[in-house]
Amino acid sequence: MSNIGVIVIVFTFMSLASGQEETNCRGKPVTLTVKEKAQVMDCLTEQKINSIWKIPLEKVACFGVCILQKKSMLTDDGKINHEKALKYIDDHMPDKETKKLLIDAADKCIKEFGAQVKDSDPLCQTFLGVGLCVHDAFLEICTSK
């Protein structure tokens, strides 16, 4: 995730944990708003997680779903809102090249795993496929130059 989330979710987590106002993707700053920070903190509290760096494995998926809910990136039936997720990346990433790479990666992950997400999953395990796919893609893209 992630802010996939999902989208800049991983970078949001890292910057909150270190108390920074921004984080970087491919050397470009990704600035977080006060509202975005509050959403992450709310999800930490709701999931009873003490540290962004120490999210128990069994809570990772529901934490990701919480972030998507706070950002209104889920449909009424609990699926990822594909259009909103991609628009979020488009609105938040600083440069065209990185934006395109991230949008393409998130698009692929949502198409491949998004249909597995079910709103009737109290442990949020159906979110893991898309969440891990987006996380891995964003980590690879944002740490490359």
Side-chain angles (χ1 to χ4, degrees):
M1 213 192 76
S2 327
N3 92 26
I4 157 213
V6 154
I7 308 300
V8 184
I9 292 173
V10 168
F11 303 103
T12 301
F13 297 165
M14 291 188 304
S15 61
L16 281 171
S18 62
Q20 297 175 1
E21 294 296 318
E22 62 183 39
T23 190
N24 291 308
C25 181
R26 300 184 92 199
K28 306 282 186 193
V30 179
T31 304
L32 306 174
T33 66
V34 171
K35 181 179 179 182
E36 290 167 330
K37 291 178 189 179
Q39 290 168 334
V40 173
M41 296 309 291
D42 287 348
C43 288
L44 286 171
T45 301
E46 289 173 24
Q47 296 300 314
K48 297 180 174 78
I49 299 169
N50 296 326
S51 168
I52 197 73
W53 292 111
K54 295 180 183 177
I55 299 176
L57 186 56
E58 67 274 9
K59 293 187 178 192
V60 167
C62 285
F63 182 69
V65 170
C66 180
I67 294 292
L68 291 173
Q69 287 170 335
K70 299 279 185 205
K71 296 186 174 309
S72 301
M73 286 192 207
L74 295 179
T75 62
D76 290 340
D77 62 349
K79 302 284 184 197
I80 295 172
N81 185 317
H82 198 139
E83 185 179 311
K84 280 187 177 181
L86 299 182
K87 181 171 177 5
Y88 185 86
I89 297 168
D90 190 49
D91 290 346
H92 285 79
M93 294 314 298
D95 70 86
K96 288 182 182 183
E97 180 185 354
T98 301
K99 194 179 290 197
K100 180 177 178 359
L101 290 170
L102 293 173
I103 287 172
D104 289 350
D107 183 53
K108 180 179 179 237
C109 291
I110 294 168
K111 284 178 179 173
E112 187 172 344
F113 298 103
Q116 297 172 4
V117 178
K118 296 187 180 12
D119 65 343
S120 60
D121 178 10
L123 298 177
C124 311
Q125 295 303 300
T126 59
F127 173 76
L128 279 177
V130 71
L132 291 173
C133 181
V134 169
H135 171 274
D136 291 348
F138 276 54
L139 193 58
E140 181 179 327
I141 291 166
C142 286
T143 58
S144 69
K145 296 208 178 192

